[in-house]
């Protein structure tokens, strides 16, 4: 039987706390060999979603399948295929690295030799006898990643793995995550745009508990925009109705930024409609829009 094309599928995840919605209708898919960035501002619902994907928090609605196994219907089998590093790593600071990872390996029924292989992979071979509490934060984060991968899971979920690290530690952890993405499927939760650019193949942007963007990082990086100025400016909704226009930003009362995909330039349609409706087109020119611009537009708070 051929393996499923997606090693993780989530559909319609929702979760509320004390009557307040934290996550609403999240759906996503993950393939082996890719790193999926889960991006959003603080408080967007990223950690709540990560906990549901890892099976640590039951959703109010929705379903998660790991390697075609129902995570909440058959949690033991599903979690055997899944590794999870929460925002606060589950470490026992008084234990040595070796003793802690042996303990985790036993819990996961990891294969013989998993300890040495995982230590080598995570750069921990030289610190095995040291207490975890004596390690730098960067090395403690490595131990956290090691406990998530020691049983060779298909899916690895990492929640803010570089938070609080110095620049050198961040670089080392990013290299490790990128390497993990070669043989596993990795979901990386972060609010750092440069992290998504340097590590991820695809990105999902979460805002106020809802997905507002899903696509390839290259496509997001190459997102394009045109600036159009009018003597008699139309309503933004009229501009959004033009074929190819993905979103509209008001730069001034007479000037608009119209974002579009790289393969769908709406300039000709804008010129034609401006003539037909008497908008008095005064200028139209291309303006490249990068990841920061797209993220800022999608997560902008309404006044």
């Amino acid at each position: 039987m051929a393996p499923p094309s997606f090693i993780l599928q989530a559909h319609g995840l929702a979760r509320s706390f004390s009557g307040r919605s934290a996550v609403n209708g999240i759906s996503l898919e993950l393939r082996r060999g890719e790193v999926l960035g889960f991006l959003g501002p603080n408080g967007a619902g990223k950690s709540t979603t990560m906990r549901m994907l890892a099976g640590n928090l039951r959703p109010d609605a929705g379903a998660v399948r790991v390697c075609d196994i129902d995570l909440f219907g058959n949690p033991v089998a599903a979690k055997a295929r899944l590794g999870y590093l929460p925002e606060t790593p589950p470490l026992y600071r008084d234990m040595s690295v070796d003793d802690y990872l042996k303990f985790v390996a036993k819990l996961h029924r990891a294969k013989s030799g998993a300890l040495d292989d995982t230590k080598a992979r995570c750069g921990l071979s030289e610190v095995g006898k040291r207490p975890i509490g004596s390690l730098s934060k960067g090395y403690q984060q490595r131990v956290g990643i090691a406990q998530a991968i020691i049983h060779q899971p298909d899916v690895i979920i990492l929640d803010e793995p570089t938070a609080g690290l110095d620049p050198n530690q961040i670089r080392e952890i990013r290299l490790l995550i990128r390497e993990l993405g070669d043989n596993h499927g990795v979901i990386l939760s972060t609010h750092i745009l440069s992290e998504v650019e340097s590590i991820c193949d695809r990105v999902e942007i979460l805002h106020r508990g809802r997905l507002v963007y899903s696509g390839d990082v290259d496509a997001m990086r190459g997102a394009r925009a045109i600036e159009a100025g009018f003597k008699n400016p139309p309503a933004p909704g009229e501009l959004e109705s033009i074929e190819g226009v993905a979103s509209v930003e008001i730069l001034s009362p007479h000037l608009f930024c119209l974002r579009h995909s790289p393969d769908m330039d709406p300039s000709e349609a804008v010129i034609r409609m401006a003539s037909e409706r008497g908008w008095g087109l005064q200028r139209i020119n291309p303006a490249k829009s990068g990841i920061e611009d797209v993220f800022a537009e999608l997560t902008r708070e309404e006044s």
Side-chain angles (χ1 to χ4, degrees):
M1 182 178 177
S5 57
F6 295 106
I7 56 175
L8 183 140
Q9 295 173 290
H11 296 289
L13 294 181
R15 178 72 194 204
S16 296
F17 296 97
S18 300
R20 182 174 181 179
S21 176
V23 172
N24 192 347
I26 298 294
S27 297
L28 59 86
E29 296 171 321
L30 178 72
R31 293 182 174 87
R32 186 183 303 279
E34 73 175 356
V35 179
L36 172 63
F38 208 62
L39 182 64
N42 290 328
K46 300 188 302 297
S47 291
T48 298
T49 303
M50 296 297 101
R51 290 170 63 196
M52 289 190 287
L53 293 176
N56 285 14
L57 179 67
R58 179 174 287 274
D60 296 329
V64 179
R65 301 190 71 84
V66 181
C67 297
D68 211 29
I69 302 169
D70 185 342
L71 177 59
F72 298 104
N74 192 354
V76 174
K79 289 182 179 182
R81 315 293 289 271
L82 190 154
Y84 176 45
L85 174 65
E87 189 172 3
T88 301
L91 305 178
Y92 293 103
R93 296 172 57 84
D94 292 336
M95 296 179 73
S96 71
V97 173
D98 282 352
D99 287 344
Y100 172 70
L101 292 180
K102 286 177 184 176
F103 167 67
V104 174
K106 187 174 181 180
L107 289 177
H108 284 296
R109 301 178 182 176
K111 295 179 180 178
S112 175
L115 175 63
D116 290 338
D117 290 346
T118 302
K119 284 168 57 183
R121 198 172 188 186
C122 294
L124 297 169
S125 298
E126 304 301 319
V127 298
K129 304 300 182 184
R130 291 179 56 181
I132 292 173
S134 72
L135 300 176
S136 68
K137 186 162 185 179
Y139 268 93
Q140 289 186 27
Q141 206 70 338
R142 287 174 178 267
V143 177
I145 293 175
Q147 64 81 29
I149 70 171
I150 197 165
H151 55 302
Q152 287 294 301
D154 298 275
V155 176
I156 302 169
I157 298 174
L158 306 174
D159 191 358
E160 304 276 4
T162 61
L165 303 185
D166 67 37
N168 289 330
Q169 294 168 337
I170 289 173
R171 182 176 180 275
E172 292 169 356
I173 295 298
R174 286 177 180 176
L175 288 172
L176 175 57
I177 294 169
R178 184 62 263 181
E179 179 189 325
L180 292 174
D182 292 338
N183 299 303
H184 308 263
V186 180
I187 298 179
L188 169 69
S189 169
T190 183
H191 62 273
I192 304 172
L193 297 175
S194 61
E195 199 148 84
V196 170
E197 282 196 276
S198 63
I199 299 176
C200 300
D201 303 298
R202 290 193 300 116
V203 62
E204 312 264 359
I205 297 180
L206 186 67
H207 182 49
R208 293 182 175 178
R210 294 179 180 271
L211 279 180
V212 294
Y213 180 90
S214 177
D216 293 341
V217 170
D218 288 342
M220 190 179 181
R221 186 185 293 116
R224 295 294 195 275
I226 58 173
E227 291 182 358
F230 306 95
K231 182 179 180 180
N232 305 308
E238 290 187 85
L239 294 172
E240 289 176 348
S241 70
I242 297 173
E243 184 178 5
V245 175
S247 65
V248 174
E249 180 181 1
I250 302 173
L251 302 178
S252 73
H254 294 269
L255 184 63
F256 301 82
C257 178
L258 283 62
R259 290 192 171 83
H260 61 91
S261 60
D263 58 348
M264 182 69 76
D265 187 342
S267 297
E268 290 187 8
V270 171
I271 293 170
R272 183 174 61 253
M273 190 169 288
S275 175
E276 293 173 353
R277 300 190 179 184
W279 294 342
L281 182 64
Q282 295 175 316
R283 57 173 283 197
I284 185 166
N285 56 273
K288 187 172 180 179
S289 177
I291 286 181
E292 287 190 16
D293 296 320
V294 175
F295 179 78
E297 172 68 16
L298 292 172
T299 61
R300 183 177 57 186
E301 296 292 340
E302 298 296 333
S303 58

